[in-house]
Amino acid sequence: MANEEVIATTKAEIRQRIWDYIEKNDLANFPRPVHHRIPNFKGAIAAGEKLILMEEFKKARTVKVNPDKPQEIIRYKALEERKTLLVPTPRLRNGLFNRIVPPSNANAALLKRCATREGITNYSRPVGLDYTGNIDLIVIGSVAVSTKGELLF
């Protein structure tokens, strides 16, 4: 899209244009279609692997990572490194955050499962609005960012 003139001006128009482009050019993995979600773009795993090499991730003790599929690898690495992992409650159904708490004897396969939507459902505890801990790093997804990495939507 870099060579195309961006005509869209509203958040909804920009998102629609990006979703359509991703689908038309087969740039996403499961789940499909990508419309109305943070797309699991091809390259999400590589992007996550770059993030986990950053000093900010290495130093963080508590991380908040959105529950979207493209951030699954980051949630897994946080659990593998025994960081406190907070995940927003999907669709904000039951409070603001959940803390993913894998069993103490969890192996890599179970930690990977804990990093999925199933894990958020089965291995988490609600965190109340009175939570007073520090969050050292926040990882979110986006439908669109600028070429400078600025979050658009």
Side-chain angles (χ1 to χ4, degrees), residues 32-70:
R32 302 282 291 272
V34 299
H35 295 81
H36 308 289
R37 68 175 81 240
I38 302 298
N40 187 17
F41 63 97
K42 292 182 179 177
I45 292 173
E49 289 171 344
K50 284 183 179 183
L51 185 137
I52 62 179
L53 294 174
M54 296 175 67
E55 283 303 309
E56 292 82 355
F57 183 83
K58 290 177 182 179
K59 290 178 181 177
R61 298 182 73 163
T62 300
V63 295
K64 178 240 167 219
V65 183
N66 280 11
D68 305 305
K69 184 71 173 167

Side-chain angles (χ1 to χ4, degrees), residues 7-16 153:
I7 299 168
T9 56
T10 69
K11 178 178 177 178
E13 290 171 336
I14 292 170
R15 282 182 162 193
Q16 188 63 50
F153 306 106

Side-chain angles (χ1 to χ4, degrees), residues 5 9 14 17-18 21 26 29 33-34 44 46 52 59-61 65-66 68 84 98 101 105 113 141-142 151 153:
E5 181 180 335
T9 56
I14 292 170
R17 187 174 172 119
I18 297 298
Y21 182 85
D26 192 32
N29 298 313
V34 299
I52 62 179
K59 290 178 181 177
R61 298 182 73 163
V65 183
N66 280 11
D68 305 305
T84 298
N98 286 333
V101 184
N105 62 344
R113 198 163 69 222
S142 179
L151 183 67
F153 306 106

